[in-house]
Amino acid sequence: MSTLRPSSGRGPSQVNFPAEPGNHVLDAALRPSEWDDYVGQKQIKANVRISIDAAKKRGGMPEHILFYGPPGVGKTTLAHLVATTLGSPLKSTSGVAIERASDLAAILTNLEPSTVLFIDEIHRLSHKIEELLYPALESGHLDIILGKGPSARTVELALPPFTLVGATTRAAEISGPLRSRFGGGTYQLDFYSDEDLRDIIARSAKLLGLEAPADVIEHIAVRSRATPRVANALLKRVRDFSEVHERPLSVALADEACELFGIDAFGLTKDDRRYLEMLLASFRGGPAGINALAAALHEDPDTIEHVYEPFLLRLGLIERTSSGRVLTAKGREYLQG
Ligand SMILES: Nc1ncnc2c1ncn2[C@@H]1O[C@H](COP(=O)(O)OP(=O)(O)OP(=O)(O)O)[C@@H](O)[C@H]1O
Ligand SMILES: [Mg+2]
């Protein structure tokens, strides 16, 4: 375990390591475009591919699909793979972008036949938009209301066949009725094993034209928060470090780079440590309410809950209880170094 250096707030050396969505240029460059390159998540891959193959045999479109899981674990990548495998156009949008009924109507009525409609952050759809979406998902039509008052009437507009692929980091925020429209096509993506991360890093290194020794790949894998996006971003940072210092990739160099970035042997960042330290120092190890904790850290409660905490929970350093967040014995041990 690396030594624990107390950090207070966001100093100039504060590293906001990309556990968060972002780094889209790198995402696009390294995004697998074939199933064989999509590492891990075996069961999900097998299930999705079966429903695609069955649909192709029938000459139709597969059932609607929902992917959920932490940021950077491959949800968007899967949506792209679904469209590619079907040979379908992909129309990407987001729950935030569909504000009004007319936004959704415009999207749906302009779909080319057999499109994969990808709605990212699908939990952000309003109740009103969801209701409009239901008939489109169930029976392929849109209910349009013409006129106002007593003379108003509903017209059914038939839509071209399409498959909705929804993605979210917040499955709990998706309404029951919307969730039920995905039926059996709901998949939870999990964090990745070190072995899978090694494969992902090795592939990315090749694509970036890097000679990465196995021990360097291993070093990066265990510091990647069990997340492919973080693995790729960390690899790229280590590469930059090696270029700037004109030194070949080695474990010693990767270690120095991680030290400089504030990433420890567990993949925890300064922000993670600040969270754990705050929980211990200001809340005596908890239970601490999320809002109180967020205020103390000057962070957004959403970011804390959906970006930082999932990995801290996975490592068993904290627990979420009904009365708040609690530092576990393992968490205390970690802080003691
Ligand atoms: N299973 C995988 N195999 C190989 N690379 C992967 C895999 N999953 C993700 N990646 C890599 O990680 C990057 C981020 O993945 P992606 O954008 O699909 O994550 P996401 O789950 O949609 O994240 P977010 O919740 O932030 O939208 C991809 O561009 C790809 O390079
Ligand atoms: Mg995504």
Side-chain angles (χ1 to χ4, degrees):
M1 192 183 291
S2 66
T3 46
L4 186 69
R5 274 170 284 107
S7 60
S8 52
R10 286 178 185 278
S13 65
Q14 180 74 36
V15 176
N16 195 9
F17 198 68
E20 315 166 43
N23 229 327
H24 293 303
V25 178
L26 189 64
D27 273 5
L30 300 177
R31 174 162 286 145
S33 55
E34 286 175 25
W35 288 103
D36 284 348
D37 292 332
Y38 191 92
V39 175
Q41 315 284 2
K42 282 204 182 83
Q43 216 175 349
I44 296 179
K45 275 202 307 192
N47 275 295
V48 171
R49 292 184 75 174
I50 283 180
S51 68
I52 292 175
D53 289 348
K56 274 172 119 177
K57 272 199 174 149
R58 286 194 307 268
M61 290 294 283
E63 63 180 350
H64 307 296
I65 303 173
L66 176 67
F67 296 123
Y68 68 97
V73 293
K75 301 179 293 296
T76 299
T77 306
L78 279 174
H80 282 254
L81 281 170
V82 168
T84 313
T85 317
L86 283 165
S88 290
L90 178 76
K91 163 81 189 157
S92 290
T93 182
S94 138
V96 201
I98 309 176
E99 271 182 52
R100 288 161 306 178
S102 57
D103 296 333
L104 182 67
I107 291 172
L108 293 177
T109 52
N110 283 305
L111 291 179
E112 273 179 66
S114 307
T115 292
V116 169
L117 172 62
F118 175 50
I119 305 186
D120 207 357
E121 296 192 72
I122 195 163
H123 64 274
R124 299 283 296 269
L125 289 178
S126 69
H127 184 62
K128 206 176 94 200
I129 301 288
E130 277 190 12
E131 300 240 296
L132 195 63
L133 194 56
Y134 297 151
L137 297 179
E138 275 159 20
S139 45
H141 74 264
L142 199 58
D143 289 327
I144 295 188
I145 301 169
L146 295 178
K148 276 187 180 162
S151 64
R153 63 197 171 92
T154 306
V155 178
E156 274 192 15
L157 189 68
L159 295 170
F162 72 99
T163 293
L164 171 68
V165 177
T168 180
T169 49
R170 307 175 187 197
E173 289 175 30
I174 296 186
S175 72
L178 178 58
R179 201 188 297 224
S180 72
R181 264 59 179 198
F182 291 101
T186 300
Y187 302 103
Q188 178 178 13
L189 278 81
D190 216 337
F191 284 118
Y192 286 66
S193 66
D194 287 350
E195 195 188 345
D196 286 344
L197 290 165
R198 286 198 294 269
D199 289 349
I200 291 170
I201 296 165
R203 171 179 172 273
S204 300
K206 238 190 215 162
L207 288 175
L208 294 171
L210 288 176
E211 294 261 335
D215 52 1
V216 172
I217 291 175
E218 169 74 20
H219 197 82
I220 296 174
V222 296
R223 287 162 179 75
S224 297
R225 305 176 76 83
T227 305
R229 178 183 291 135
V230 176
N232 286 338
L234 190 49
L235 172 68
K236 190 168 161 283
R237 284 178 163 212
V238 170
R239 190 242 348 229
D240 291 350
F241 189 85
S242 126
E243 280 177 5
V244 168
H245 292 279
E246 295 180 9
R247 286 164 54 195
L249 287 182
S250 68
V251 169
L253 175 120
D255 205 42
E256 270 178 57
C258 288
E259 170 92 354
L260 180 72
F261 306 146
I263 296 161
D264 73 12
F266 297 92
L268 295 194
T269 65
K270 287 182 177 167
D271 284 338
D272 297 314
R273 290 191 291 274
R274 206 159 65 87
Y275 173 108
L276 296 171
E277 283 160 6
M278 184 68 77
L279 190 52
L280 181 65
S282 301
F283 299 90
R284 293 201 213 112
I290 179 79
N291 290 325
L293 200 51
L297 290 165
H298 305 291
E299 268 286 8
D300 169 37
D302 270 4
T303 307
I304 291 188
E305 187 168 357
H306 299 285
V307 177
Y308 297 111
E309 288 186 343
F311 188 61
L312 297 175
L313 286 163
R314 177 184 156 91
L315 289 185
L317 301 178
I318 59 163
E319 264 171 20
R320 281 182 189 155
T321 69
S322 53
S323 40
R325 275 62 177 166
V326 177
L327 191 67
T328 61
K330 205 170 165 195
R332 286 173 192 271
E333 214 176 281
Y334 169 85
L335 282 179
Q336 282 156 10

